[in-house]
């Protein structure tokens, strides 16, 4: 059975699509057959970050409405032959997605031997976000370490606990916290919440801490998910998160501020 992972948040702009792309690439790099689906009908950013925007002919809505087959709409990644992208529509209304249509696509992917299906959710609690999470087995809740992002994510946790197929069956979606744009130095000065603060408020365990880094934007602009840049701390942090998602134990990096040595303090470095 395919493992369905929703990447979700209460607030926009926290890094969901970057996370979806990096998780999908990391799982594919580990040898898994992976599909990543953009549920953000009307905006469509996943194909840009995956670097396949010029290859989109048919999209998720075309498949749901019977205008194209799933095989026609899936775009095979050029870096990993076991990774496929299903883009969102830029021209349709969000109501074009239906629960029955989404379920059929997920079942067809499962029948095709996909081991992981990553659902890139829109922000908030509208229809696309509800459908992205409804069939999930696991949820990666993406949060910036600031009060408004944490508060909005608390609402998403309520929906995961009550409005999913697992909840209807008396089960739970396995929930993981992923912190993005984390700056240990700003945590030390009190400008930003710590990992422990966010875990305490949301009651979740952290699966990854992605440091604040210009590498993320640079990678997105090049259509290369940042996890593929293993020189980058952000790429390394996403690689750690994928490993933990697959059950591996890894120490949590990038959570402590660099301590300045004697000479750097002396000369203001």
């Amino acid at each position: 059975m395919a493992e369905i992972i929703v990447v979700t948040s209460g607030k926009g702009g926290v890094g969901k699509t970057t996370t979806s792309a990096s998780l999908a690439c990391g799982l594919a790099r580990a040898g898994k057959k992976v599909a990543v689906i953009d549920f953000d009908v009307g905006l469509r950013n996943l194909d840009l970050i995956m670097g396949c925007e010029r290859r989109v002919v048919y999209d998720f809505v075309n498949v749901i409405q019977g205008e194209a087959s799933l095989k026609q709409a899936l775009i095979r990644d050029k870096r990993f032959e076991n990774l496929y992208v299903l883009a969102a529509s830029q021209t349709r209304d969000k109501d074009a997605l239906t629960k029955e249509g989404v379920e059929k696509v997920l079942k067809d992917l499962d029948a095709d031997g996909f081991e992981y299906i990553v659902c890139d959710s829109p922000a908030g609690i509208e229809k696309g976000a509800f459908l992205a999470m409804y069939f999930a087995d696991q949820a990666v809740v993406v949060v910036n370490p600031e009060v408004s992002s944490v508060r909005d994510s608390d609402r998403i946790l309520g929906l995961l606990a009550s409005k999913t197929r697992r909840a209807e069956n008396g089960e739970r979606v396995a929930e993981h916290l992923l912190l993005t744009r984390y700056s240990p130095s700003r945590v030390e000065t009190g400008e930003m919440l710590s990992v422990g603060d966010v875990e305490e408020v949301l009651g979740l365990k952290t699966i990854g801490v992605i440091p604040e880094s210009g590498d993320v934007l640079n990678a997105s602009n090049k259509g290369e998910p940042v996890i593929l840049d293993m020189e980058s701390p952000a790429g390394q942090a996403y690689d750690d998160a994928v490993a933990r998602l697959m059950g591996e134990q890894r120490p949590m990096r990038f959570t402590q501020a660099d301590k300045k040595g004697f000479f750097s303090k002396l000369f203001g470095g």
Side-chain angles (χ1 to χ4, degrees), residues 68-142:
S69 69
L70 182 58
K71 192 172 184 179
Q72 285 175 307
L74 283 172
I75 301 166
R76 181 184 246 169
D77 187 81
K78 289 186 173 178
R79 295 156 293 223
F80 303 103
E81 62 176 21
N82 51 332
L83 174 59
Y84 293 79
V85 179
L86 184 53
S89 170
Q90 279 185 302
T91 57
R92 303 296 182 94
D93 187 81
K94 291 183 180 355
D95 289 333
L97 295 181
T98 65
K99 189 191 286 188
E100 297 74 27
V102 171
E103 182 172 28
K104 184 176 187 313
V105 169
L106 296 176
K107 280 184 173 176
D108 288 349
L109 288 169
D110 185 37
D112 284 345
F114 282 88
E115 295 166 273
Y116 286 93
I117 302 167
V118 178
C119 301
D120 180 25
S121 171
I125 53 175
E126 44 89 359
K127 187 176 182 182
F130 165 72
L131 289 173
M133 73 170 65
Y134 181 76
F135 297 99
D137 301 304
Q138 300 190 55
V140 174
V141 183
V142 183

Side-chain angles (χ1 to χ4, degrees), residues 34-99:
V34 184
V36 57
I37 305 175
D38 191 346
F39 276 77
D40 203 353
V41 175
L43 291 178
R44 202 174 98 183
N45 287 319
L46 178 66
D47 54 306
L48 290 170
I49 290 178
M50 293 295 291
C52 63
E53 72 278 8
R54 294 176 187 274
R55 297 166 60 209
V56 177
V57 178
Y58 296 109
D59 57 49
F60 193 14
V61 172
N62 291 141
V63 177
I64 283 178
Q65 300 199 338
E67 297 158 355
S69 69
L70 182 58
K71 192 172 184 179
Q72 285 175 307
L74 283 172
I75 301 166
R76 181 184 246 169
D77 187 81
K78 289 186 173 178
R79 295 156 293 223
F80 303 103
E81 62 176 21
N82 51 332
L83 174 59
Y84 293 79
V85 179
L86 184 53
S89 170
Q90 279 185 302
T91 57
R92 303 296 182 94
D93 187 81
K94 291 183 180 355
D95 289 333
L97 295 181
T98 65
K99 189 191 286 188

Side-chain angles (χ1 to χ4, degrees), residues 133-204:
M133 73 170 65
Y134 181 76
F135 297 99
D137 301 304
Q138 300 190 55
V140 174
V141 183
V142 183
V143 181
N144 289 160
E146 37 129 306
V147 172
S148 64
S149 177
V150 173
R151 184 184 61 197
D152 288 347
S153 293
D154 197 39
R155 297 171 70 202
I156 293 297
L157 294 179
L159 293 175
L160 286 167
S162 63
K163 300 290 185 185
T164 60
R165 183 168 62 177
R166 282 190 165 243
E168 289 171 2
N169 293 334
E171 302 169 350
R172 277 200 76 103
V173 174
E175 299 159 352
H176 314 285
L177 175 65
L178 186 117
L179 284 170
T180 53
R181 299 196 186 127
Y182 195 78
S183 170
S185 59
R186 292 178 67 194
V187 171
E188 285 190 353
T189 59
E191 296 172 64
M192 192 174 267
L193 298 172
S194 70
V195 175
D197 292 334
V198 181
E199 285 186 335
E200 189 177 342
V201 173
L202 296 178
L204 293 183

